[in-house]
Amino acid sequence: MNKLLASVSFDRTALTLVAAACAATISEAYTRTSLSDAQTATAARYPPLSSIITEEHVRELERNGLVVIHNVLSVATLQNARENVEKLSDAMETTNHCNDNDVRQDQILSIRESDEEHGLHGDALIHCVKLLRGIPFLLSRFDYTTSHSFAVPQQCQLARYKPDGSIYVRHLDRCNLSMYDMGLVEFLRASDYRERVVTAILYLNKSDWDSGGELRVYTHHEQGDERDEKGIDIMPTGGKLILFDSSKVEHQVLASRGDDRYALTCWINGTLA
């Protein structure tokens, strides 16, 4: 009898521990997000952007899933921003991402507007962050129909590709897989990726950049579609702004040569129409 009671007690304890561990895992997955302090489009508004993005740009983004806007930064601002990011070289050497090295070989660093208060980054770089974060306000203002209810992350990602063959393979910025495909825990952990609707990239390279590192975009995202296998190559010229539909536009980064390639990215979250 004592042995039976001990066995039952052990089984109950084990069951309790397993249930607690499962609950803890699901709770961690559910709460994992970098958007806990995200802002609304109105809160992230940046007035200087109104002279850069027009209604026609928004209509083109709707039609093609992609729009390229040239000369977003003045010559002086671009030069200062480039100097700002080059000063972050040591920090980027020790910072990396969680992707497998055969997927991407860039080095990344999170840049937040609030870093300005602590003097961590130069004014030109913070201006660039504000430009990217201000985009959802203008998408809403011009009645962008592909997505809505934007959540604007406080941070942007600065990526550096060294001229050593570093690339990023073809991919989508939004995760379109179902919970059945991913499993419950990974599905919950990918909540930020599942809600991306617009990708905004601002290049901080030289204005006369000719060192490769093109962004190759595929406007039809289905793999194997003969219409898009060749893709469109976009040179990452300094001051160039690219917006595209995160849910549809597959893209990859080609290898650069001769100079470090810098890109500042903001993933805008929201709801697809």
Side-chain angles (χ1 to χ4, degrees):
M1 178 64 72
N2 290 336
K3 289 183 178 180
L4 178 59
L5 292 175
S7 176
V8 171
S9 178
F10 175 82
D11 289 346
R12 287 178 176 174
T13 301
L15 181 60
T16 300
L17 291 174
V18 169
C22 290
T25 299
I26 292 175
S27 176
E28 178 274 332
Y30 179 75
T31 57
R32 178 185 291 189
T33 179
S34 60
L35 299 172
S36 58
D37 58 353
Q39 293 182 309
T40 64
T42 301
R45 179 189 181 191
Y46 191 46
L49 190 64
S50 298
S51 62
I52 297 173
I53 294 181
T54 67
E55 183 172 5
E56 179 52 36
H57 290 138
V58 176
R59 300 286 83 82
E60 184 176 347
L61 179 61
E62 289 175 339
R63 290 192 303 269
N64 303 329
L66 168 75
V67 62
V68 179
I69 306 174
H70 301 271
N71 303 317
V72 168
L73 304 175
S74 68
V75 173
T77 300
L78 175 58
Q79 180 178 343
N80 291 335
R82 177 78 181 189
E83 291 173 356
N84 292 165
V85 299
E86 287 176 345
K87 290 179 180 178
L88 298 173
S89 177
D90 290 343
M92 300 193 78
E93 290 286 357
T94 57
T95 304
N96 220 312
H97 43 71
C98 298
N99 296 83
D100 292 336
N101 198 52
D102 59 349
V103 173
R104 61 188 293 187
Q105 296 98 44
D106 58 331
Q107 298 167 314
I108 63 174
L109 191 65
S110 179
I111 310 291
R112 299 170 65 94
E113 274 190 49
S114 58
D115 293 341
E116 182 179 28
E117 302 171 7
H118 306 290
L120 297 178
H121 306 303
D123 293 343
L125 180 56
I126 296 301
H127 167 69
C128 295
V129 171
K130 291 178 179 180
L131 285 176
L132 293 181
R133 298 189 66 249
I135 290 169
F137 176 79
L138 291 178
L139 293 179
S140 299
R141 176 183 175 185
F142 294 126
D143 298 318
Y144 181 59
T145 59
T146 306
S147 55
H148 57 86
S149 304
F150 302 115
V152 189
Q154 293 279 359
Q155 66 284 343
C156 293
Q157 178 186 276
L158 177 64
R160 175 178 66 183
Y161 290 82
K162 290 188 173 183
D164 57 3
S166 294
I167 62 168
Y168 197 150
V169 301
R170 181 172 171 173
H171 64 284
L172 270 177
D173 281 348
R174 178 186 175 100
C175 176
N176 291 326
L177 298 176
S178 68
M179 185 170 64
Y180 177 81
D181 295 322
M182 301 179 68
L184 175 60
V185 172
E186 292 306 315
F187 183 79
L188 293 175
R189 284 176 175 164
S191 61
D192 290 0
Y193 298 93
R194 291 187 288 105
E195 296 175 1
R196 289 177 176 176
V197 291
V198 176
T199 298
I201 304 174
L202 178 59
Y203 291 113
L204 302 179
N205 305 309
K206 297 176 181 178
S207 58
D208 58 350
W209 176 272
D210 62 352
S211 301
E214 294 89 348
L215 179 73
R216 179 167 293 173
V217 297
Y218 304 86
T219 54
H220 300 279
H221 72 281
E222 294 85 357
Q223 290 278 7
D225 190 331
E226 294 180 358
R227 294 172 298 172
D228 77 351
E229 278 306 298
K230 187 175 181 180
I232 302 169
D233 288 349
I234 301 173
M235 189 67 74
T237 308
K240 183 179 293 183
L241 173 64
I242 300 175
L243 308 180
F244 59 81
D245 186 332
S246 306
S247 70
K248 294 182 178 179
V249 178
E250 286 195 352
H251 53 287
Q252 65 186 98
V253 177
L254 306 183
S256 58
R257 56 187 182 276
D259 205 354
D260 289 344
R261 175 193 188 275
Y262 289 97
L264 188 67
T265 302
C266 181
W267 290 285
I268 300 164
N269 286 42
T271 302
L272 292 176

